[in-house]
């Protein structure tokens, strides 16, 4: 599957309080959470973001709390995937568990800039900047994680266990 | 090659494997799973969508509505009600209503619900706190909690371990909080990403349980998967008391200790004999510096509480500093004991009276302002000093407010001075 979108770039150590501030955690409604996505990192993000857009982060993206509201708000705001140099571990497993595509790629995270157009190949784990021929490669997922992703998240994977 | 304590506990709980090594993906049985009023509603919905009629074990699920209770608004009340309904319907033994409730990471050990050798997950990042008992405890998300409630299992990547060795005798007013803030300022907020932090050394051997909880609590602030301290006589005394007081259905526990030839990704040593109390400046817990480096930082609000430093010895230290003193007229002090039992003891020991006489507020157990929920939100431009664990942008209120982190004695002294100050300078 291929997705095209605009890049929104953020720095290192973007934490879950910036992704979805605690003042909005009295709900778990995805559409409601999307209205405040990334608000404390970039107040205009909820207005700017368009379906298919890509979030690019630096090191340790999604650090801080365990709130699944963070990847849920990102997914619900239409973002197609998050690319970062590294992910905080709870954010990483939450994204996989709810089926929000994430990619670890230093090269892509370095080279992509806000406003760039890029194309993401979800199946191959490749990101191509518009105008470039060569794609940035993302780290491959271990087969255990691939299984969960291919089933569409942990609960879908669990349904086979019933 | 030997195993670390973390590897031993994971191996003992792993399903379908006889050996493990860092980097392996495993499925493991969980002894205890925990959720709160923010994370459980999502988990409960996913559990219900699965259509299972029973949870894996009614005694091994703990639901604590601690974040926004006493309900701060209607939406929060509705979220808490989801927990209550679910607990009733599925016969969850360890659901704690307001009045029993406390901050989850203080409440769970106090009640003897987690014991050495356990594998515990919690849909809350500070679940790493419980590693202080020699258990493997880690924060996960709501979907993981749903899965664990249904199947009693969770997936893990076996972490590498970083060993932290603390040596020497800490000075007066220096405690577990300072040791861990010091280590995090060295490691950085992602220095232990995906890794276990094993906390050892003679300074830890003599460290009281409350301080050990503060240390493991903040393992996540260095990005760690878990913090862990090998169980010893201090652990044993704590656990036995908890089991005697509350009679959870937990008896036998297993003490795991790292093998001499265990493999570590890294070993870092800290001599803490000369360490001053540490204060972390906004906006990262890794911005720790000796308290004396902060000159004339005016403080609008001091918060003493949370899963990091809301335990009885924390309140005792704060009360010792505040005894016969008044807080600064431009500063407000909010003290929040972490559980009802701590609240009661603080009343009986006279600490509560000290706080109120000093001009402070003594509140009901809750996470309160720690995550900017309620009971003390900072206004635009305001500066807070808190004994909590995170000082991210907007963590305690307005995105343009500022939070410093410290131990309870420094927090109390700063409330008196109206600016950051160590108790010995009062
Ligand atoms: S006291 Fe703060 S850090 Fe601890 S569980 Fe509550 S909100 Fe989280």
């Amino acid at each position: 599957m291929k997705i095209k979108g605009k890049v929104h770039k953020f720095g290192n150590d973007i934490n879950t309080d910036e992704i979805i501030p605690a003042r909005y955690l009295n709900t778990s409604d995805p559409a409601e959470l999307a209205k405040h996505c990334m608000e404390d990192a970039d107040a205009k993000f909820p207005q700017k973001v368009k379906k298919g857009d890509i979030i690019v982060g630096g090191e340790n993206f999604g650090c801080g709390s365990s709130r699944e509201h963070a990847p849920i708000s990102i997914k619900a705001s239409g973002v197609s995937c998050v690319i970062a140099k590294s992910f905080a571990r709870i954010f990483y497993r939450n994204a996989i568990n709810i089926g929000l595509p994430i990619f670890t790629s230093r090269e892509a995270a370095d080279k992509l800039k806000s406003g760039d157009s890029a194309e993401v190949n979800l199946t191959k784990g490749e990101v191509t900047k518009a105008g470039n021929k060569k794609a940035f490669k993302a780290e491959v997922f271990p087969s255990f994680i691939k299984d969960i992703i291919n089933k569409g998240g942990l609960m879908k994977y669990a349904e086979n266990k019933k | 090659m030997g195993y670390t304590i973390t590897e031993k506990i994971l191996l003992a709980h792993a399903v379908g494997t006889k050996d493990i090594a860092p980097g392996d993906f495993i499925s493991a049985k969980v002894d205890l799973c925990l959720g709160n009023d923010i994370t459980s509603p999502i988990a409960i919905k996913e559990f219900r969508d699965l259509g299972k009629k029973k949870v894996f074990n009614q005694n091994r699920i703990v639901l604590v509505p601690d974040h926004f209770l006493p309900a701060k608004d209607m939406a929060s009340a509705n979220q808490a009600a989801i927990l209550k309904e679910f607990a009733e319907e599925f016969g969850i033994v360890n659901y704690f209503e307001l009045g029993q409730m406390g901050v989850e990471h203080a409440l769970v050990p106090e009640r003897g619900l987690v014991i050495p050798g356990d594998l515990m997950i919690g849909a809350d990042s500070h679940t790493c706190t419980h590693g202080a008992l020699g258990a493997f405890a880690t924060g996960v998300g709501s979907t993981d909690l749903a899965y664990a409630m249904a199947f009693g299992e969770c997936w893990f990547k076996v972490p590498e371990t970083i060993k932290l060795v603390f040596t020497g005798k800490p000075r007066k007013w220096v405690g577990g909080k300072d040791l861990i803030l010091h280590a995090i300022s060295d490691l950085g907020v992602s220095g232990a990403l995906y890794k276990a932090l094993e906390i050892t050394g003679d300074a830890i051997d003599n460290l009281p349980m409350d301080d050990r909880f503060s240390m493991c609590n903040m393992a996540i602030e260095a990005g760690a998967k878990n913090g862990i301290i090998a169980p010893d006589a201090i652990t044993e005394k704590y656990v036995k008391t908890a089991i005697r007081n509350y009679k959870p259905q937990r008896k036998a526990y297993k003490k795991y200790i790292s093998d001499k030839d265990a493999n570590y990704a890294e070993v870092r040593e800290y001599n803490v004999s000369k360490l001053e109390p540490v204060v972390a400046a906004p906006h990262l817990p890794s911005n720790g510096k000796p308290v004396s480096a902060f000159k004339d930082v005016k403080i609008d609000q001091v918060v003493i509480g949370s899963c990091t430093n809301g335990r009885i010895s924390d309140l005792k230290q704060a009360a010792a500093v505040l005894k016969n003193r008044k807080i600064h007229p431009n500063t407000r002090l909010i003290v929040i004991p972490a559980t009802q039992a701590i609240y009661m003891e603080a009343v009986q020991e006279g600490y509560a009276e000290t706080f109120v006489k000093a001009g402070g507020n003594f509140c009901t157990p809750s996470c309160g302002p720690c995550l900017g929920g309620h009971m003390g939100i900072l206004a635009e431009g305001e500066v807070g000093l808190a004994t909590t664990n995170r000082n991210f942008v907007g963590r305690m209120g307005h995105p343009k407010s500022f939070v410093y982190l410290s131990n309870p004695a420094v927090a109390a002294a700063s409330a008196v001075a109206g600016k950051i100050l160590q108790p010995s300078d009062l």
Side-chain angles (χ1 to χ4, degrees):
Chain A
M1 199 166 74
K2 285 185 188 166
I3 296 170
K4 277 189 186 153
K6 273 224 156 59
V7 168
H8 302 262
K9 191 161 179 175
F10 295 88
N12 291 335
D13 302 314
I14 291 292
N15 64 68
T16 57
D17 281 279
E18 292 171 290
I19 299 173
I20 183 79
R23 54 187 180 276
Y24 306 120
L25 294 185
N26 56 6
T27 176
S28 48
D29 174 25
E32 202 47 50
L33 294 170
K35 287 186 197 158
H36 305 289
C37 182
M38 304 303 288
E39 195 178 282
D40 280 5
D42 173 3
K44 298 211 180 73
F45 183 83
Q47 284 86 54
K48 284 194 292 199
V49 66
K50 298 228 164 52
K51 196 168 165 36
D53 281 1
I54 298 160
I55 287 181
V56 175
E59 303 280 1
N60 203 22
F61 187 91
C63 64
S65 87
S66 69
R67 62 189 73 154
E68 213 157 284
H69 311 65
I72 290 174
S73 75
I74 292 177
K75 197 178 171 194
S77 64
V79 167
S80 59
C81 75
V82 184
I83 303 166
K85 291 185 190 171
S86 65
F87 289 92
R89 57 161 285 275
I90 306 179
F91 184 91
Y92 180 90
R93 65 185 298 140
N94 283 346
I96 288 163
N97 284 346
I98 69 158
L100 168 71
I102 52 171
F103 295 111
T104 311
S105 169
R106 287 187 172 273
E107 219 194 340
D110 267 335
K111 300 264 166 70
L112 290 171
K113 289 190 202 64
S114 274
D116 284 353
S117 294
E119 186 178 88
V120 179
N121 185 325
L122 291 178
T123 351
K124 283 196 183 157
E126 285 180 354
V127 187
T128 320
K129 187 174 152 180
N132 279 13
K133 283 220 184 69
K134 220 175 130 257
F136 305 121
K137 282 269 177 210
E139 261 175 38
V140 276
F141 289 109
S143 63
F144 181 89
I145 302 284
K146 259 193 204 147
D147 254 13
I148 297 178
I149 295 172
N150 291 341
K151 296 254 162 54
L154 187 66
M155 294 323 271
K156 297 265 164 54
Y157 170 87
E159 277 168 7
N160 305 334
K161 280 191 86 155
K162 255 196 283 187
Chain B
M1 185 58 80
Y3 291 115
T4 65
I5 175 170
T6 294
E7 289 157 3
K8 281 186 186 180
I9 298 175
L10 285 173
L11 180 58
H13 292 79
V15 180
T17 171
K18 291 215 169 59
D19 190 24
I20 59 169
D24 288 358
F25 282 83
I26 59 164
S27 193
K29 296 228 171 293
V30 302
D31 295 304
L32 196 72
C33 52
L34 168 69
N36 59 47
D37 50 325
I38 289 180
T39 56
S40 305
I42 298 178
I44 289 168
K45 182 178 181 301
E46 300 206 51
F47 178 89
R48 287 188 187 277
D49 288 350
L50 205 57
K52 280 204 112 199
K53 296 275 171 303
K54 274 191 194 155
V55 295
F56 88 104
N57 185 334
Q58 292 166 316
N59 289 312
R60 300 299 180 87
I61 295 169
V62 184
L63 297 176
V64 190
D66 54 357
H67 279 60
F68 293 157
L69 254 60
K72 74 182 179 90
D73 53 26
M74 264 185 279
S76 308
N78 285 338
Q79 290 210 117
I82 296 174
L83 274 65
K84 187 175 186 177
E85 248 171 55
F86 178 77
E88 263 171 26
E89 187 179 336
F90 286 86
I92 308 297
V93 178
N94 295 301
Y95 161 75
F96 295 96
E97 184 54 271
L98 189 70
Q100 306 291 313
M101 187 273 286
V103 177
E104 55 201 287
H105 310 303
L107 186 71
V108 167
E110 181 184 282
R111 298 253 171 178
L113 293 168
V114 58
I115 58 179
D118 271 359
L119 194 160
M120 171 182 179
I121 59 156
D124 188 278
S125 60
H126 292 102
T127 304
C128 52
T129 311
H130 310 272
L133 292 168
F136 174 87
T138 190
V140 296
S142 298
T143 302
D144 288 305
L145 175 61
Y147 187 88
M149 290 198 299
F151 304 107
E153 285 180 23
C154 189
W155 65 268
F156 299 99
K157 181 176 171 188
V158 178
E160 291 184 298
T161 297
I162 296 179
K163 178 151 92 170
L164 303 182
V165 188
F166 294 88
T167 59
K169 190 170 179 286
R171 299 188 344 203
K172 196 175 180 198
W173 306 122
V174 173
K177 178 66 163 289
D178 305 292
L179 270 50
I180 195 67
L181 280 176
H182 179 61
I184 294 167
S185 68
D186 177 47
L187 284 161
V189 285
S190 59
L193 201 57
Y194 299 108
K195 299 197 174 79
L197 272 190
E198 190 172 316
I199 298 171
T200 68
D202 60 46
I204 305 302
D205 296 342
N206 300 311
L207 203 65
M209 220 38 243
D210 283 3
D211 292 76
R212 294 182 185 187
F213 284 124
S214 306
M215 291 191 76
C216 287
N217 176 267
M218 291 196 71
I220 175 81
E221 306 322 329
K225 176 172 219 142
N226 66 314
I228 197 159
I229 297 176
D232 60 10
I234 292 175
T235 326
E236 196 143 349
K237 186 165 169 238
Y238 180 93
V239 173
K240 283 200 169 137
T241 311
I243 291 179
R244 193 175 344 105
N245 288 347
Y246 293 99
K247 309 193 172 43
Q249 288 166 318
R250 304 300 308 268
K251 278 189 206 85
Y253 52 83
K254 278 201 102 141
K255 296 203 275 179
Y256 295 97
I257 296 176
S258 292
D259 290 329
K260 288 227 159 56
D261 57 346
N263 205 6
Y264 294 96
E266 208 184 318
V267 180
R268 296 194 186 204
E269 281 195 39
Y270 306 102
N271 186 307
V272 296
S273 302
K274 296 217 174 81
L275 190 70
E276 256 188 48
V278 181
V279 172
H283 292 286
L284 285 177
S286 57
N287 290 340
K289 284 193 217 92
V291 56
S292 58
F294 297 87
K295 304 256 187 276
D296 276 319
V297 180
K298 295 217 167 36
I299 300 293
D300 298 296
Q301 172 173 300
V302 170
V303 175
I304 299 176
S306 86
C307 57
T308 320
N309 286 115
R311 296 185 181 79
I312 195 66
S313 60
D314 299 315
L315 303 194
K316 185 178 177 182
Q317 280 178 48
V321 173
L322 289 167
K323 186 102 191 157
N324 300 324
R325 288 197 167 107
K326 289 263 185 251
I327 64 165
H328 192 275
N330 294 339
T331 306
R332 25 179 214 272
L333 168 68
I334 299 170
V335 183
I336 311 176
T339 67
Q340 292 288 110
I342 296 167
Y343 186 105
M344 181 79 97
E345 201 175 337
V347 169
Q348 286 164 346
E349 295 294 325
Y351 309 150
E353 194 182 328
T354 302
F355 299 137
V356 177
K357 272 193 178 155
N361 301 276
F362 190 66
C363 306
T364 199
S366 173
C367 291
C370 173
L371 81 162
H374 57 152
M375 293 161 72
I377 305 301
L378 293 174
E380 180 171 3
E382 280 195 325
V383 181
L385 173 66
T387 67
T388 55
N389 44 40
R390 285 192 180 134
N391 53 354
F392 297 153
V393 172
R395 173 75 180 178
M396 197 170 273
H398 197 280
K400 291 201 179 100
S401 60
F402 304 86
V403 179
Y404 291 79
L405 305 174
S406 79
N407 76 29
V410 170
S414 304
V416 173
K419 57 180 186 179
I420 295 179
L421 197 76
Q422 54 183 326
S424 52
D425 287 349
L426 262 188

